[in-house]
Amino acid sequence: MNQLDVHTHTIASGHGTKCTITDMAREAERKGISLLGISDHGPATLLSCRPSYFRSLAMAPKRRCGVELLYGVELNILDYEGTVDLDLDTLSFLDYAIASLHRMNLKPGSRTENTEAYIGAMKNPHVKIIGHCDDGGYPVDYEALVQAAGEYGVLLEINNSSLLPGGYRGDTRENNLEILKLCRCYHRPLILSSDSHGKDKIGEVSCAEKLVLEASYPAELILNYDYHKFKEFIRK
């Protein structure tokens, strides 16, 4: 059973949703999610929150509506060296960080450049997850990515939103199958995420789980099924 969802966005991300953190927690409780991570977009995203918002999360309650909360950020990777849009001091106030490529912040480069951008971000000690690296608009060397994830203690994400029909990242199925094949080969854990903007999709990873079953990926390597194991992973 899926116990957690750590790639979610509130009103602070500036994407049109009006949901607050409490709204998100209330929905997570209704859906039986034990651990909810709030990962609003970093400040380089248009209309998203400023660094002061992320620093203030250190004082936010760690439990709402019976749900344990983690506070993170979905960082924007800004260049092919892996620079991100919050500094180390601000990131130290948070429980974890996701790092992702978004077209508004960095245009797709070559396969080598995109791979180096992801790996550069992995070297940041606060980055624990690479978000939606299945995006076909950013071709990457998945074997190099999986090996680097093991070296730097980072999880690759199977993003449920990417797998929905008509998604703006195109058909990500084959890329996700390649990620699953290589993670299985190298015995790397991974995370399934809803990428929910607002409360409606919290905990929704059915497309990702279907693909995981098709790929015969070991359940013990999916950290959604043991939130204590996930918390231990991000604290290393």
Side-chain angles (χ1 to χ4, degrees), residues 150-217:
E151 179 178 354
Y152 295 109
V154 174
L155 296 169
L156 299 186
E157 171 192 76
I158 303 297
N159 186 293
N160 197 77
S161 178
S162 293
L163 291 163
L164 295 174
Y168 72 90
R169 297 184 191 114
D171 186 353
T172 65
R173 173 184 163 80
E174 293 306 316
N175 287 342
N176 277 300
L177 284 172
E178 182 70 8
I179 292 167
L180 288 164
K181 181 185 79 172
L182 289 164
C183 285
R184 185 181 64 206
C185 177
Y186 290 103
H187 205 68
R188 301 283 187 244
L190 52 75
I191 192 83
L192 314 181
S193 300
S194 72
D195 199 357
S196 184
H197 286 67
K199 66 182 183 179
D200 292 345
K201 301 293 185 181
I202 286 175
E204 177 53 60
V205 292
S206 58
C207 293
E209 287 185 315
K210 182 178 179 181
L211 205 65
V212 161
L213 286 173
E214 182 179 330
S216 300
Y217 193 78

Side-chain angles (χ1 to χ4, degrees), residues 34-198:
S34 300
L35 181 68
L36 176 66
I38 303 297
S39 56
D40 284 310
H41 285 290
T45 297
L46 184 66
L47 302 179
S48 191
C49 34
R50 301 296 94 196
S52 58
Y53 165 77
F54 295 102
R55 290 193 292 271
S56 72
L57 290 173
M59 297 177 285
K62 289 293 191 179
R63 183 170 289 273
R64 301 190 196 202
C65 306
V67 175
E68 184 175 353
L69 292 171
L70 295 178
Y71 297 103
V73 59
E74 184 179 8
L75 296 165
N76 294 287
I77 301 174
L78 302 177
D79 57 36
Y80 301 119
E81 287 71 51
T83 305
V84 294
D85 56 339
L86 283 179
D87 61 30
L88 290 173
D89 181 62
T90 302
L91 288 170
S92 71
F93 286 84
L94 298 172
D95 295 308
Y96 67 102
I98 302 168
S100 304
L101 287 169
H102 297 106
R103 285 165 180 75
M104 71 177 69
N105 301 117
L106 185 65
K107 67 179 182 180
S110 68
R111 188 167 182 258
T112 297
E113 287 173 329
N114 298 330
T115 304
E116 289 177 349
Y118 280 129
I119 293 175
M122 289 183 191
K123 295 176 183 179
N124 185 310
H126 299 284
V127 170
K128 299 299 180 183
I129 300 169
I130 294 295
H132 49 73
C133 56
D134 53 11
D135 189 337
Y138 289 96
V140 296
D141 179 342
Y142 283 116
E143 182 147 16
L145 211 60
V146 170
Q147 289 180 332
E151 179 178 354
Y152 295 109
V154 174
L155 296 169
L156 299 186
E157 171 192 76
I158 303 297
N159 186 293
N160 197 77
S161 178
S162 293
L163 291 163
L164 295 174
Y168 72 90
R169 297 184 191 114
D171 186 353
T172 65
R173 173 184 163 80
E174 293 306 316
N175 287 342
N176 277 300
L177 284 172
E178 182 70 8
I179 292 167
L180 288 164
K181 181 185 79 172
L182 289 164
C183 285
R184 185 181 64 206
C185 177
Y186 290 103
H187 205 68
R188 301 283 187 244
L190 52 75
I191 192 83
L192 314 181
S193 300
S194 72
D195 199 357
S196 184
H197 286 67

